[in-house]
């Protein structure tokens, strides 16, 4: 795929100049063939893609992708024959160590097939999601977590598989949910060994629970309802879940969903999920407070499509992406989810229709968004779109997303991946569900380049996308079943050019901030802990940093002495606050950081911190 380079320069909302150019991508298929049982190991494990051996074949769909801090990508996807065809080969997983240029098939996370039936069997594999720890474990690896719904029996619980060695092997916990009978789980990680899953618990009406583990997924002991005590009506089967995100800097947890606006709408037969909500936890997931992101005054509009999406940039700004079934919008928060700006439309011509959003945030104000889009538009539901509607993967980037109405650079990141209707009702679908319910994007923390993982139901049969075959050599996917589930497979689009979300226009970058109350005795006393991590991203040494909080000078103990050379990092901590600063858990405080450069010039940046409750973080 190629696109014209369109260059734009503007401020990112924090005073830095940014240059944005349109992205370019290349595409290829992954290896994960559940019909290949006569190889050792079976199921394409160990196959590196792309290659010229015609072995990059798979039958997976509805994938997820994340990147660790070293720049390795991990992807997972479910076998569509498990979901649609009544057979199950479990969840497949892949790893890239070269910035997405190649992916190798890992051992199956939820179980190696026991060899039953033509494609084997696994008791899990539905609705896969994936998370990567932001800190290394004691062995020097970032924990990788893959979550899948139980399929035998259906929805019985959530399988969480943990790899502590870079995907070489997995430990399986088949009871990741404290409350059984679950649907559409999401997973997110913090620290070296904290991981949380969220899910609908149908055994308790339609509550949305967040379960957390502090031992790398071995046990999930902490449970909280994402619906707070002021919004119990969310649970009355009138909400749709979105994904889960953890901010590794301040340890806040964000759970998005769509619902109605008030208890008065519970009996409103024409009211749909016209409100985008976010549940925020400032105490490590022990409790949540629900805030409205956007309330559409038209109560018939629904944002309950797959799926409302949340991501957090490196400065702690929060972004929520959502679609009304035709157009895609985003809102942003500089106040840790408490207040919001938006909505602002993302998609533009030729993507007249945009569904299935996902996002990945980078430095402050930098945001990548992907979706399935078509140039066809009708007021009808996309499930009823005609065969002339050609769907592609669209990618759009905004390096000034904290500026209202700032422009996006949009490109098609793939060729046609599907023609016709697309059903968005999950297991209740009666129309075409070849694309299933979601896909994903991640940006490399080292290069900033994006890698997209997506579903394609077209017969291609090229070197980069060979058609899947059985052991016997006969086709699973052939021209006669193109544009059907028999050809559904997982592809990669890797960014090869254009601007990235990790541009650093300042002399220094605040890469992490944390401001916690460690005294949980409720005796009125305070035991604050403050931390600021800074990297010199310029070309001149920095002699000193002066920091203020709430308009008052703040003395920090620094981890090293000046000068801070380009590329080096420093950490400032404090167990005290300036005299006169009133501390209240949940309050937001402005922080000013002034760097004095070796040449005598200065640069000042202003950020926000939230005074969170350290209890329950367990990090």
């Amino acid at each position: 795929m190629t696109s014209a380079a369109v260059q734009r320069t503007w401020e990112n909302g924090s005073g830095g100049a940014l240059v944005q150019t349109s992205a370019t991508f290349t595409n290829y298929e992954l290896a994960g063939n559940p019909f290949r049982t006569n190889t050792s190991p079976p199921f394409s494990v160990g196959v590196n893609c792309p290659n010229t051996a015609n072995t990059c074949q798979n039958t997976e769909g509805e994938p997820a992708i994340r990147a660790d801090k070293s720049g390795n990508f991990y992807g997972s996807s479910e076998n569509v024959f498990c979901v649609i065809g009544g057979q199950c080969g479990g969840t497949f997983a892949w790893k890239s160590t070269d910035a997405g240029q190649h992916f190798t098939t890992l051992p199956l996370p939820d179980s190696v097939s026991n060899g039953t039936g033509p494609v084997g069997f696994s008791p899990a594999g539905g609705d896969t999601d994936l998370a990567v720890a932001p800190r290394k474990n004691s062995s020097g690896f970032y924990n990788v977590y893959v979550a899948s719904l139980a399929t035998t029996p259906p929805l019985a619980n959530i399988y969480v598989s943990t790899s502590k060695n870079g995907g070489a092997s997995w430990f399986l916990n088949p009871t990741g949910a404290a409350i059984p009978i679950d649907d559409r789980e999401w997973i997110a990680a913090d620290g070296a060994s904290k991981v949380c899953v969220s899910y609908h618990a149908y055994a308790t009406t339609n509550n949305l629970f967040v379960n957390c583990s502090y031992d790398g997924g071995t046990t999930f002991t902490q449970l909280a309802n994402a619906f707070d005590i002021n919004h119990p009506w969310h649970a009355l089967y009138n909400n749709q879940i979105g994904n889960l995100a953890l901010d590794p800097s301040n340890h806040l947890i964000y759970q998005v969903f769509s619902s109605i606006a008030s208890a008065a709408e519970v009996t409103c037969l024409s009211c749909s999920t016209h409100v985008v909500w976010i549940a925020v936890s400032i105490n490590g997931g022990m409790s949540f407070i629900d805030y409205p992101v956007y309330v559409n005054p038209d109560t018939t509009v629904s944002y309950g499509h797959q799926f409302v999406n949340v991501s957090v940039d490196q400065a702690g700004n929060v972004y929520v992406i959502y679609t009304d079934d035709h157009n895609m919008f985003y809102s942003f928060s500089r106040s840790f989810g408490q207040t919001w700006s938006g909505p602002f439309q993302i998609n533009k011509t030729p993507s007249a229709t945009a569904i299935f959003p996902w996002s990945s945030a980078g430095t402050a104000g930098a945001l990548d968004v992907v979706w399935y889009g078509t140039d066809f538009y009708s007021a009808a539901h996309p499930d009823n779109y005609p065969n002339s509607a050609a769907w592609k993967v669209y990618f759009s980037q905004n390096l000034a997303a904290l500026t209202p109405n700032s422009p996006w650079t949009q490109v098609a990141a793939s060729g046609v991946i599907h023609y016709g209707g697309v059903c968005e009702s999950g297991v209740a679908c009666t129309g075409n569900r070849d694309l299933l319910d979601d896909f994903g994007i991640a940006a490399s923390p080292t290069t900033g380049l994006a890698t997209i993982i997506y579903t394609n139901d077209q017969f291609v049969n090229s070197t980069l996308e060979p058609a899947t075959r059985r052991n016997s050599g006969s086709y699973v996917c052939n021209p006669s079943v193109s544009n059907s589930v028999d050809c559904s497979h997982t592809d990669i689009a890797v960014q090869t050019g254009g601007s990235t979300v990790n541009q650093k226009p300042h002399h220094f970058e605040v890469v992490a901030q944390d401001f916690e109350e460690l005294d949980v005795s409720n005796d009125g006393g305070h035991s604050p802990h403050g931390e600021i991590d800074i990297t010199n991203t310029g070309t001149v040494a920095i002699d000193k940093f002066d920091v203020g909080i709430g308009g008052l000078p703040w003395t920090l103990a620094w981890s090293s002495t000046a000068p801070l050379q380009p590329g080096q990092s420093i950490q400032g901590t404090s167990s005290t606050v300036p005299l006169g600063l009133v501390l209240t858990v949940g309050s937001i405080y402005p922080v000013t950081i002034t760097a004095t450069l070796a040449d005598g010039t200065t640069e000042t940046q202003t950020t926000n911190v939230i005074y969170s409750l350290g209890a329950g973080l367990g990090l």
Side-chain angles (χ1 to χ4, degrees):
M1 299 296 300
T2 60
S3 64
V6 179
Q7 181 169 305
R8 294 186 174 93
T9 304
W10 58 76
E11 298 291 311
N12 68 344
S14 301
L18 298 169
V19 177
Q20 185 166 311
T21 55
S22 295
T24 56
F25 291 87
T26 59
N27 306 73
Y28 60 90
E29 185 175 355
L30 297 174
N33 190 342
F35 294 97
R36 289 295 176 94
T37 58
N38 59 352
T39 57
S40 182
F43 311 124
S44 307
V45 172
V47 175
N48 194 43
C49 295
N51 63 44
T52 58
N54 204 41
T55 54
C56 295
Q57 308 169 11
N58 74 80
T59 63
E60 283 76 72
E62 199 168 273
I65 191 168
R66 301 289 190 278
D68 68 23
K69 285 194 171 181
S70 296
N72 300 310
F73 285 101
Y74 292 90
S76 64
S77 194
E78 59 184 285
N79 179 21
V80 297
F81 287 89
C82 167
V83 177
I84 298 176
Q87 301 176 90
C88 188
T91 299
F92 284 75
W94 302 271
K95 180 180 182 179
S96 172
T97 59
D98 60 2
Q101 299 298 314
H102 299 82
F103 274 85
T104 301
T105 307
L106 299 174
L108 277 67
D110 19 79
S111 71
V112 175
S113 167
N114 65 8
T116 303
V119 294
F121 171 81
S122 173
D127 289 353
T128 178
D129 194 25
L130 183 146
V132 180
R135 298 182 189 173
K136 290 182 178 180
N137 60 31
S138 58
S139 299
F141 291 92
Y142 297 99
N143 283 0
V144 183
Y145 307 96
V146 173
S148 297
L149 290 180
T151 57
T152 308
L155 308 183
N157 210 291
I158 295 170
Y159 280 56
V160 176
S161 299
T162 303
S163 177
K164 298 183 179 181
N165 53 13
S169 62
W170 302 89
F171 164 80
L172 173 63
N173 179 353
T175 56
I179 301 176
I181 316 301
D182 313 303
D183 197 11
R184 191 52 266 190
E185 90 296 346
W186 302 99
I187 192 165
D190 196 4
S193 58
K194 180 177 179 178
V195 60
C196 301
V197 293
S198 64
Y199 52 91
H200 267 148
Y202 285 129
T204 56
T205 67
N206 203 20
N207 283 297
L208 202 169
F209 286 104
V210 178
N211 245 160
C212 293
S213 167
Y214 291 88
D215 55 12
T218 302
T219 58
F220 285 81
T221 55
Q222 180 179 291
L223 179 69
N225 193 340
F227 302 149
D228 63 31
I229 58 174
N230 295 318
H231 302 89
W233 35 267
H234 282 321
L236 299 177
Y237 291 99
N238 51 19
N239 71 83
Q240 293 291 330
I241 192 173
N243 72 308
L244 178 74
L246 274 70
D247 186 335
S249 176
N250 55 41
H251 312 299
L252 267 62
I253 303 178
Y254 299 99
Q255 174 64 58
V256 287
F257 59 98
S258 59
S259 185
I260 54 178
S262 66
E265 293 183 3
V266 170
T267 57
C268 173
L269 298 181
S270 63
C271 293
S272 190
T273 53
H274 65 107
V275 184
V276 178
W277 291 86
I278 191 164
V280 182
S281 175
I282 63 171
N283 58 11
M286 295 194 300
S287 63
F288 287 82
I289 299 176
D290 299 343
Y291 300 99
V293 174
Y294 173 62
V295 181
N296 194 316
D298 183 350
T299 59
T300 65
V301 170
S302 172
Y303 296 116
H305 308 291
Q306 287 83 344
F307 288 97
V308 178
N309 180 261
V310 59
S311 58
V312 186
D313 71 23
Q314 294 172 18
N317 303 299
V318 190
Y319 308 88
V320 173
I321 321 296
Y322 44 100
T323 173
D324 63 6
D325 215 21
H326 290 86
N327 289 305
M328 190 159 295
F329 307 89
Y330 85 103
S331 295
F332 67 85
S333 174
R334 293 175 176 264
S335 59
F336 308 98
Q338 295 182 17
T339 58
W340 292 84
S341 299
F344 307 104
Q345 186 168 330
I346 300 174
N347 64 297
K348 58 187 178 182
T349 303
S351 179
T353 301
I355 60 175
F356 290 12
W358 199 268
S359 64
S360 180
T363 53
L367 187 64
D368 287 340
V369 177
V370 291
W371 66 89
Y372 290 149
T374 175
D375 60 3
F376 182 86
Y377 180 88
S378 168
H381 190 283
D383 194 18
N384 297 313
Y385 275 19
N387 288 335
S388 59
W391 296 86
K392 299 178 181 179
V393 174
Y394 278 90
F395 167 91
S396 197
Q397 184 181 83
N398 190 334
L399 299 183
L402 295 173
T403 301
N405 300 308
S406 50
W408 293 79
T409 52
Q410 174 184 299
V411 298
S414 75
V416 176
I417 60 168
H418 176 70
Y419 290 96
V422 177
C423 184
E424 299 174 86
S425 301
V427 294
C429 280
T430 57
N432 187 287
R433 202 189 169 206
D434 295 356
L435 298 182
L436 284 89
D437 299 327
D438 71 292
F439 68 113
I441 181 175
S444 168
T446 56
T447 69
L449 293 168
T451 297
I452 307 168
I453 193 168
Y454 63 94
T455 304
N456 186 344
D457 72 357
Q458 300 298 292
F459 174 82
V460 181
N461 205 23
S462 66
T463 300
L464 292 178
E465 283 191 86
T468 302
R469 292 174 178 262
R470 294 176 172 84
N471 284 335
S472 63
S474 62
Y475 280 111
V476 175
C477 174
N478 60 59
S480 67
V481 293
S482 185
N483 212 59
S484 78
V485 68
D486 291 304
C487 284
S488 289
H489 59 276
T490 294
D491 282 346
I492 290 290
V494 58
Q495 186 180 357
T496 56
S499 53
T500 73
V501 292
N502 70 345
Q503 290 193 42
K504 299 174 175 63
H506 300 286
H507 289 288
F508 67 93
E509 180 185 5
V510 179
V511 295
Q513 285 187 107
D514 189 22
F515 192 38
E516 300 177 19
E517 171 61 79
L518 301 182
D519 183 359
V520 295
S521 62
N522 293 319
D523 60 1
H526 288 293
S527 179
H529 170 76
E531 178 181 323
I532 301 175
D533 298 350
I534 301 174
T535 299
N536 184 337
T537 53
T539 58
V540 180
I542 299 175
D543 284 343
K544 68 170 182 172
F545 291 100
D546 294 297
V547 181
I549 183 169
L552 301 170
W554 194 14
T555 301
L556 301 176
W558 297 99
S559 59
S560 60
T561 58
L564 185 69
Q565 299 297 328
Q568 291 184 337
S569 298
I570 193 171
Q571 182 183 88
T573 58
S574 179
S575 59
T576 62
V577 295
L579 185 66
L581 186 71
V582 178
L583 290 178
T584 305
V585 171
S587 291
I588 297 170
Y589 301 87
V591 174
T592 57
I593 305 165
T594 299
T596 301
L597 310 184
D599 59 8
T601 61
T602 62
E603 179 181 329
T604 299
Q605 296 181 39
T606 300
T607 63
N608 289 327
V609 293
I610 184 170
Y611 198 43
S612 60
L613 191 62
L617 296 181
L619 301 174

